[in-house]
Amino acid sequence: MATPAAPEGQRADDHAGPRAEDGRGGLRATLGGLTTRGRSFLAAGAAAAVCAYVLGQADLLRVGMLFELLTMMCAVVVL
């Protein structure tokens, strides 16, 4: 069976998944596979951190960092 042609600018052996031969790309693949809830937590954490910086609120920064860290820790555990 013939392999389908790769789009222009891409090699036929390029793929979006983790690279088994060198062990890299696993975290990127896991973060790329986040659910809508996970992406929302990352966005909410980033927005809270930016707002905390602009407003000078340390407690809001802690909440933003909590959202970011929870999402990252879950992604690492799943990895």
Side-chain angles (χ1 to χ4, degrees):
M1 177 174 232
T3 333
E8 267 186 55
Q10 255 186 349
R11 295 188 328 228
D13 60 345
D14 284 349
H15 61 286
R19 298 177 185 207
E21 61 272 357
D22 61 3
R24 292 184 305 170
L27 183 59
R28 176 176 280 173
T30 301
L31 289 177
L34 282 176
T35 62
T36 303
R37 182 180 295 167
R39 291 179 187 196
S40 298
F41 264 72
L42 282 177
V50 168
C51 289
Y53 180 74
V54 169
L55 299 173
Q57 296 291 321
D59 292 335
L60 186 58
L61 180 62
R62 288 185 190 113
V63 170
M65 294 305 293
L66 176 68
F67 279 1
E68 296 286 327
L69 288 175
L70 281 176
T71 307
M72 297 300 285
M73 285 176 26
C74 289
V76 168
V77 168
V78 168
L79 175 68

